[in-house]
């Protein structure tokens, strides 16, 4: 997971030439035909590497804490490639800036999938993601950078059924079509929000993803 707290380091920085949302829009125009995925929260880097390796995807990861990025590279085997890049910066700001940079709703520059996998505080009723990622304005911003048939996935960790129910109601303000996958311990839930008009279900997810699997 990413950093548990936000810092004053608000500006997205990176050693990559695609270090800003505006530059990322230009990059997105050049990746037409590929599944474009944005992840907020790097953790050990296993998820973005899996997506990059197993799907025909171009993956961007935004991680708040440079220490987390360093640990992922030094101890967990995370490696950037031509189709996988890691940016150090504020995921909230990155998505706001990216949305602002989409002039005229350029569909070719939008993401197909946005994954929110950032850690928050264990003292909160929802420890993942931080509460800012479950605010209406932010969720509508995520919807704004997704293609018309785009998909958002958010990892929600909570022991409170009431807190999760409230989060689900907030998610519905931006994504009326939701699908939830629960783990065995029922603490971790992955909520998918589908921007398209069709019904989202397990079979639909499997069918849609299989078209991008390699091999």
């Amino acid at each position: 997971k990413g950093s548990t707290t936000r810092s004053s380091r608000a500006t997205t920085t990176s050693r990559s030439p695609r270090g800003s949302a505006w530059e990322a829009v230009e990059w997105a125009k050049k990746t037409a035909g590929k599944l474009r995925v944005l992840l907020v929260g790097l953790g050990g880097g296993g998820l973005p590497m899996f997506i990059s390796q197993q799907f025909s995807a171009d993956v961007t990861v935004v991680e708040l804490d440079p220490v987390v990025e360093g640990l992922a590279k030094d101890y967990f085997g995370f490696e950037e490639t031509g189709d996988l890049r890691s940016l150090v910066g504020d995921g909230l700001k990155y998505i706001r800036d990216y949305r602002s940079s989409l002039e005229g709703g350029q569909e070719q520059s939008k993401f197909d999938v946005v994954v929110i996998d950032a850690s928050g505080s264990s003292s909160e009723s929802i420890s993942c993601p931080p509460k800012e990622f479950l605010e209406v304005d932010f969720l509508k911003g995520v919807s704004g950078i997704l293609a018309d048939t785009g998909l958002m996935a958010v990892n929600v960790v909570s022991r409170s059924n009431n807190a999760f129910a409230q989060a689900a109601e907030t998610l519905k303000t931006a994504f009326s079509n939701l699908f939830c996958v629960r783990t065995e311990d029922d603490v971790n839930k992955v909520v998918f929000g589908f921007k398209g008009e069709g019904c989202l279900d397990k079979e639909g997810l499997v069918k849609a993803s299989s078209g991008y699997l390699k091999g």
Side-chain angles (χ1 to χ4, degrees), residues 15 42 63 65-73 80 86-88:
R15 292 178 296 277
L42 174 63
E63 168 56 49
D65 193 340
V67 174
V68 171
E69 185 191 49
L71 290 172
K73 291 181 175 180
E80 295 183 78
S86 174
L87 312 177
V88 174

Side-chain angles (χ1 to χ4, degrees), residues 12-72:
T12 301
T13 59
S14 173
R15 292 178 296 277
S16 165
R18 306 181 183 95
S20 73
W22 284 268
E23 290 169 324
V25 170
E26 294 305 311
W27 147 75
K29 293 177 183 177
K30 300 175 183 178
T31 59
K34 276 201 168 188
L35 187 72
R36 291 187 294 275
V37 181
L38 171 67
L39 286 90
V40 177
L42 174 63
L47 179 59
M49 285 193 296
F50 173 82
I51 294 174
S52 177
Q53 292 168 6
Q54 298 300 320
F55 293 82
S56 298
D58 195 282
V59 183
T60 298
V61 188
V62 181
E63 168 56 49
L64 180 64
D65 193 340
V67 174
V68 171
E69 185 191 49
L71 290 172

Side-chain angles (χ1 to χ4, degrees), residues 109-188:
S109 300
K110 294 185 176 182
F111 288 97
D112 299 292
V113 180
V114 173
V115 180
I116 307 299
D117 193 26
S119 292
S121 171
S122 59
S123 64
E124 300 284 346
S125 57
I126 294 179
S127 58
C128 178
K131 59 184 179 182
E132 293 88 349
F133 288 90
L134 292 174
E135 292 179 353
V136 173
D137 287 346
F138 172 75
L139 294 171
K140 289 184 176 180
V142 172
S143 178
I145 68 171
L146 280 170
D148 286 344
T149 56
L151 181 75
M152 179 201 68
V154 55
N155 185 25
V156 181
V157 179
S158 177
R159 295 185 181 277
S160 169
N161 291 331
N162 288 336
F164 177 77
Q166 291 175 4
E169 287 300 315
T170 304
L171 285 162
K172 287 179 183 178
T173 62
F175 298 91
S176 59
N177 196 347
L178 297 179
F179 180 80
C180 180
V181 176
R182 302 178 181 226
T183 59
E184 292 182 0
D185 61 14
D186 207 32
V187 173
N188 181 287

Side-chain angles (χ1 to χ4, degrees), residues 6 10 21-22 38 90-102 132 135 137-138 141-142 145:
R6 296 181 66 198
W22 284 268
L38 171 67
D90 186 334
L92 295 167
K93 184 179 186 302
Y94 184 89
I95 288 175
R96 286 197 304 267
D97 289 348
Y98 197 95
R99 185 185 186 189
S100 297
S101 67
L102 291 171
E132 293 88 349
E135 292 179 353
D137 287 346
F138 172 75
V142 172
I145 68 171

Side-chain angles (χ1 to χ4, degrees), residues 195-215:
K195 191 174 176 180
E197 297 180 356
C199 181
L200 183 67
D201 54 24
K202 181 178 179 181
E203 290 72 22
L205 284 172
V206 173
K207 182 178 180 180
S209 63
S210 63
Y212 289 98
L213 281 171
K214 293 181 178 179

